[in-house]
Amino acid sequence: MSRLKDRVAIVSGAAGGIGRAAAVRLAAEGAKIEILDLKDAGEVVNEIRAAGGEVVAQACDVTNQEQIAQVVQAIDARRGRVDILVNNAGLLSGRTPWHQLTYEEMNRYVQVNYLGYFNLSKAVYPLLKKSSHGRIINIASRTYFLANPGQMAYVASKGAVMGMTRVMAKELGGEGITVNALAPGMVATPGTQAHSNEEAFNRVMMNQAIKRRVTPEHFAGLIAFIASDDAEMITGQMILCDGGGYLH
């Protein structure tokens, strides 16, 4: 497939999980990939290059505006524009009753999961304006709808992402830039597997309409679609990819 041929895609948090799958899929569809992550992205870089793709990885903390400015400047010098921004870097949810949360814990989720997206989107915006296919894709969460007990910091940060997505979609639509939020359910990533056991995964799966585990690759296909011209009239949306788990 080459529906994204020669388009420039930034994927934050692409060293593993959904971000890694997204970077691999976008590269397979012809995009030139820019990975931003604090973790070592060597494995995904090697995977993309082995398949004939073009990729560069840079270390970047999305809460650090100075670091973001430096890496975006480097991307500008290398590519001259950005067509696709996938905001994925973030903290996974813990389990703490809301009244036991400290200010520092709450602020950390807001800084990474919400303001991290804001910081990177704002820095990349001048490069997106140079594209005729601008796409911002924010990774949100199904927990925004479920309001899971013990996950207030995470849910609140992802709810803020939804608010940001809707406002940006209205403000940027006139410039041909679409902005959407994609919401995974319980996806089988190294991060979620570290926080959950097999019983929890099976319980979630049995509550889904489709009785199969959702993988990062399922989500990567959705990201590639939203990034393509096929989705040029889709904006300001929260799209779930959870096997119908929210239907029960």
Side-chain angles (χ1 to χ4, degrees):
M1 293 181 287
S2 58
R3 59 181 172 176
L4 301 177
K5 182 173 174 56
D6 294 331
R7 296 189 187 177
V8 179
I10 296 175
V11 185
S12 69
I18 289 173
R20 175 175 179 161
V24 170
R25 178 61 180 268
L26 295 174
E29 298 212 18
K32 299 175 181 179
I33 308 300
E34 295 281 343
I35 290 174
L36 307 183
D37 206 314
L38 283 175
K39 298 178 182 176
D40 181 8
E43 287 187 4
V44 65
V45 167
N46 291 338
E47 182 178 357
I48 290 172
R49 288 178 178 167
E54 186 174 338
V55 59
V56 175
Q58 298 183 86
C60 182
D61 179 351
V62 295
T63 69
N64 187 316
Q65 294 183 47
E66 184 177 340
Q67 282 189 24
I68 290 173
Q70 291 173 352
V71 299
V72 171
Q73 184 178 24
I75 292 170
D76 187 16
R78 184 162 45 246
R79 309 293 190 190
R81 73 174 196 283
V82 171
D83 303 289
I84 303 158
L85 169 61
V86 181
N87 282 311
N88 171 72
L91 295 176
L92 292 174
S93 178
R95 289 280 184 177
T96 305
W98 75 269
H99 59 282
Q100 294 179 10
L101 283 168
T102 66
Y103 169 81
E104 288 74 20
E105 289 171 321
M106 192 72 184
N107 187 53
R108 180 62 176 160
Y109 276 96
V110 171
Q111 289 293 325
V112 177
N113 289 357
Y114 167 49
L115 291 178
Y117 286 18
F118 170 79
N119 293 337
L120 189 53
S121 297
K122 186 174 181 180
V124 173
Y125 172 55
L127 300 186
L128 282 166
K129 288 199 294 183
K130 298 179 182 181
S131 171
S132 57
H133 310 278
R135 303 284 187 269
I136 297 175
I137 301 171
N138 297 321
I139 305 306
S141 173
R142 186 183 67 157
T143 59
Y144 171 74
F145 297 104
L146 299 178
N148 291 342
Q151 295 184 303
M152 191 182 82
Y154 181 78
V155 171
S157 66
K158 292 300 185 179
V161 168
M162 268 308 302
M164 178 179 75
T165 297
R166 288 167 59 82
V167 173
M168 288 176 67
K170 280 199 171 184
E171 292 192 8
L172 298 181
E175 299 180 55
I177 299 172
T178 69
V179 188
N180 290 285
L182 309 184
M186 194 169 183
V187 182
T189 67
T192 56
Q193 288 171 331
H195 285 80
S196 303
N197 55 32
E198 193 71 13
E199 180 183 353
F201 271 102
N202 288 336
R203 184 170 60 251
V204 169
M205 185 172 62
M206 293 312 297
N207 281 328
Q208 295 172 186
I210 301 171
K211 310 299 184 186
R212 295 200 306 274
R213 188 166 294 183
V214 183
T215 68
E217 287 68 32
H218 290 131
F219 215 76
L222 177 58
I223 290 170
F225 165 68
I226 293 297
S228 75
D229 290 344
D230 294 328
E232 66 178 348
M233 294 302 290
I234 299 174
T235 196
Q237 301 303 304
M238 173 82 151
I239 305 171
L240 276 73
C241 182
D242 68 343
Y246 187 58
L247 297 173
H248 72 279

